[in-house]
């Protein structure tokens, strides 16, 4: 009877350490790379996208290559609201989250009608349709020229979004930590456990009397809110929204980052995003013509060496160290 509370305390203590490490890494990035805060803010925005993808792929087992639809919905919603006079950053984030959740509701209602490979094809079709819709609705989105001229007011009326990106970075880091903590509660709740059960054996879950479709649809809405938050953050930090915010390439890269870091942990989404985008930034600067080859080689090496992702590899190393230390006299 005491095993479950002890395991629960260990899990929450480990998560508390994880959050502290995320904050520490974010603060270290602020001081170590003061000239690259715009890039770091972009990494945070994409990390929110990959976190949202982990919710439906890693925890629900729903294949998707269209997650940029939700990211772009949040970015364009925040951008259009900003152009029309809404300049308060937290309000813009809320607008992006609501738009992403609405897009997640529609996307989930369509994709969950199919299974397996058909879901993957539907997700690709959805992101391509969203991209074309954003391109055609140039009166609202700016089309291929992008939605520019965004003026974001000071955060809390005090902290202005300066040219160096200091406010945007700290704002994004705070959002990332807050969203991560909330998602940890979500995936550890009975609802999160039910999503894991659906991923493992949906037939058994139905036999137990649970309704699979509403549960997965609810997770799609949560995922959309997280992705929309990332899109709104990208719009606020760059003060421009382009078609790349709702592109198939962004969706594919997000899935690659998730596989690189590891599915179903949330930590893997963060690790994969930082490693992929950091490596991409460094090698593209070193070799602008063949950097994709180096990125591909990295991905192949990681997948072969750690099929479960980098987070799983770190867990195995940590478990091995604990066993070795426990076996000593």
């Amino acid at each position: 009877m005491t095993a479950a509370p002890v395991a629960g305390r260990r899990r929450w203590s480990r998560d508390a350490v994880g959050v502290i490490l995320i904050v520490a890494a974010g603060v270290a990035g602020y001081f170590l790379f003061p000239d690259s805060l715009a890039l770091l803010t972009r990494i945070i925005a994409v990390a929110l996208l990959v976190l949202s993808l982990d919710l439906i792929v890693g925890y629900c087992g729903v294949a998707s290559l269209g997650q940029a639809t939700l990211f772009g919905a949040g970015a364009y919603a925040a951008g259009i609201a900003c152009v029309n006079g809404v300049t308060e950053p937290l309000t813009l984030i809320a607008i992006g989250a609501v738009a992403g959740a609405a897009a997640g509701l529609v996307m989930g209602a369509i994709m969950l009608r199919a299974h397996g490979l058909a879901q993957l094809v539907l997700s690709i079709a959805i992101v391509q349709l969203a991209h074309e819709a954003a391109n055609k609705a140039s009166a609202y989105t700016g089309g291929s020229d992008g939605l520019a001229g965004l003026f974001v007011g000071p955060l809390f009326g005090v902290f202005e979004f300066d040219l160096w990106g200091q406010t945007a970075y700290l704002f994004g880091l705070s959002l990332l930590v807050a969203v991560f903590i909330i998602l940890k509660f979500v995936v550890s709740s009975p609802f999160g456990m039910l999503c894991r059960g659906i991923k493992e054996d949906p037939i058994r879950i139905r036999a137990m009397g649970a309704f699979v479709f509403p549960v997965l649809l609810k997770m799609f809405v949560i995922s959309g809110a997280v992705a929309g938050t990332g899109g709104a953050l990208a719009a606020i930090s760059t003060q421009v929204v382009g078609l790349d915010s709702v592109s198939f390439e962004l969706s594919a890269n997000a899935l690659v980052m998730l596989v690189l870091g590891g599915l179903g942990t949330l930590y893997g989404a963060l690790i994969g995003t930082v490693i992929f985008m950091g490596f991409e930034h460094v090698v593209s600067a070193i070799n602008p013509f063949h950097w994709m080859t180096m990125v591909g080689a990295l991905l192949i090496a990681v997948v072969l060496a750690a099929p479960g992702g980098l987070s799983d590899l770190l867990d195995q190393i940590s478990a091995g160290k604990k066993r070795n230390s426990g076996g000593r006299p």
Side-chain angles (χ1 to χ4, degrees), residues 298-317:
L298 170 68
L299 295 176
I300 292 174
V302 170
V303 170
L304 291 178
L310 292 174
S311 62
D312 182 64
L313 179 62
L314 292 175
D315 287 341
Q316 292 178 11
I317 294 174

Side-chain angles (χ1 to χ4, degrees), residues 187-267:
V187 299
S188 301
S189 67
F191 168 73
M193 295 296 104
L194 183 57
C195 289
R196 287 177 179 269
I198 292 173
K199 176 186 176 182
E200 295 298 328
D201 195 341
I203 297 177
R204 178 174 294 181
I205 295 298
R206 290 190 182 94
M208 293 170 58
F211 295 97
V212 171
F213 180 83
V215 173
L216 295 182
L217 188 60
K218 187 183 297 183
M219 186 60 93
F220 256 96
V221 172
I222 297 173
S223 173
V226 175
T229 300
L233 175 62
I236 290 173
S237 60
T238 61
Q239 298 186 6
V240 63
V241 183
L243 289 176
D244 59 323
S245 297
V246 62
S247 64
F248 172 74
E249 181 182 2
L250 180 59
S251 295
N253 285 343
L255 186 58
V256 169
M257 295 175 203
L258 181 59
V259 173
L260 179 64
L263 282 75
T265 64
L266 295 184
Y267 293 106

Side-chain angles (χ1 to χ4, degrees), residues 88-152:
E88 207 284 315
L90 289 176
T91 304
L92 293 175
I93 291 294
I95 291 173
V98 171
L105 179 64
V106 175
M107 185 175 177
I110 295 173
M111 285 183 57
L112 294 176
R113 299 295 179 182
H115 302 280
L117 185 60
Q119 282 183 337
L120 200 63
V121 174
L122 279 176
S123 67
I124 296 173
I126 289 171
V127 73
Q128 296 287 14
L129 287 173
H131 182 275
E132 189 61 22
N135 187 30
K136 292 297 183 182
S138 56
Y140 302 98
T141 64
S144 58
D145 295 329
L147 183 64
L150 279 65
F151 173 77
V152 182

